[in-house]
Amino acid sequence: MKLQLALDELRLEEALEFAEKVKDYIDIIEIGTPFVIAEGMNAVKRFKERFPDKEILSDEKIMDGGFFESKLAFDAGAEYVTALGVTDILTIKACLKAANEFGKQLVVDMICVDDLPAKIDELEQLGVHVLAVHTGADQQAAGRQPIDDLKVMKAHAKSAKIAVAGGINSRTIAQYVALEPDIIIVGTGITHAEDPVKEARLIKEAIERRA
């Protein structure tokens, strides 16, 4: 299992310094959607230059222009780019084509997908690399938790790797680790923690105990 740090709200220089503090516990650094909007591919490039031993994810949540927008991320140094599962299948295919040509990976974010089993099957038939359970911030505020969707994903996915995100922290990590996803994504659980380094360490230790 890998730990992915989602960086959304910090400005570029702040984010670089923050990641430096917790890098020992992080496998993947996510340039989150608000971050991508604010800073563009420069953020991806800067993070890859600063942390060449870490995998970088560009969370673009692609809905159209699949090949071109994926290529932007891969050209900038990202190992992963995200597309939304609710988009047209032709867009997913275009993203996947770019990922395969670059030897990188496509993550399909399943936020707002109504029929998870059917979509999982469709995407796995295409050869999508990673499927991401994602309970958005607005859904979390309404009381929804990603653990139930993760159980569905684990029950139906046969070949794709599985990532999970949505309000995970050191107090809730054990229930997610028990389901053995391939990637656990933590954002504000670390970035808003009173002691971010301690929080990252506790989460990483919980993952390693299960490995």
Side-chain angles (χ1 to χ4, degrees):
M1 274 179 277
K2 294 181 178 181
L3 176 56
Q4 179 173 315
L5 172 66
L7 296 171
D8 289 313
E9 301 167 352
L10 299 174
R11 303 300 293 182
L12 180 54
E13 297 304 326
E14 292 177 303
L16 287 164
E17 292 308 311
F18 184 89
E20 188 70 42
K21 295 176 184 177
V22 299
K23 66 180 181 180
D24 291 345
Y25 308 108
I26 305 301
D27 303 295
I28 303 169
I29 300 173
E30 172 188 332
I31 310 304
T33 309
F35 200 175
V36 167
I37 291 170
E39 303 285 354
M41 291 301 100
N42 181 52
V44 175
K45 185 172 183 292
R46 289 283 304 279
F47 266 85
K48 193 60 186 179
E49 290 172 349
R50 179 77 168 264
F51 305 101
D53 59 330
K54 302 297 181 184
E55 294 181 307
I56 306 298
L57 180 143
S58 181
D59 190 20
E60 296 175 33
K61 294 188 174 73
I62 295 169
M63 279 289 283
D64 191 20
F67 186 89
F68 178 73
E69 293 185 9
S70 297
K71 186 175 182 296
L72 288 175
F74 299 139
D75 280 338
E79 279 75 26
Y80 306 86
V81 71
T82 64
L84 290 178
V86 294
T87 194
D88 188 89
I89 201 67
L90 294 175
T91 299
I92 299 291
K93 288 180 178 179
C95 294
L96 193 57
K97 181 175 186 289
N100 288 334
E101 286 188 8
F102 278 82
K104 307 295 185 179
Q105 297 188 58
L106 172 64
V107 179
V108 177
D109 186 326
M110 305 290 266
I111 192 170
C112 297
V113 169
D114 291 326
D115 188 343
L116 277 174
K119 182 59 70 171
I120 290 165
D121 182 62
E122 180 181 34
L123 294 174
E124 287 197 321
Q125 287 187 43
L126 294 179
V128 165
H129 308 104
V130 185
L131 301 173
V133 174
H134 182 191
T135 301
D138 296 332
Q139 292 176 320
Q140 290 177 53
R144 184 170 179 176
Q145 299 297 319
I147 193 73
D148 294 327
D149 287 344
L150 178 57
K151 290 175 182 177
V152 173
M153 189 84 80
K154 288 292 294 187
H156 290 88
K158 299 178 179 65
S159 57
K161 289 179 284 188
I162 297 174
V164 59
I168 301 170
N169 55 46
S170 62
R171 296 181 300 280
T172 61
I173 184 65
Q175 61 184 318
Y176 291 94
V177 168
L179 292 171
E180 299 185 333
D182 298 279
I183 301 168
I184 293 177
I185 305 166
V186 182
T188 57
I190 293 174
T191 61
H192 287 189
E194 183 176 343
D195 185 341
V197 176
K198 179 182 179 182
E199 183 72 5
R201 176 177 58 79
L202 290 173
I203 293 170
K204 186 64 171 178
E205 286 174 351
I207 291 171
E208 290 176 341
R209 281 196 295 272
R210 188 71 182 191

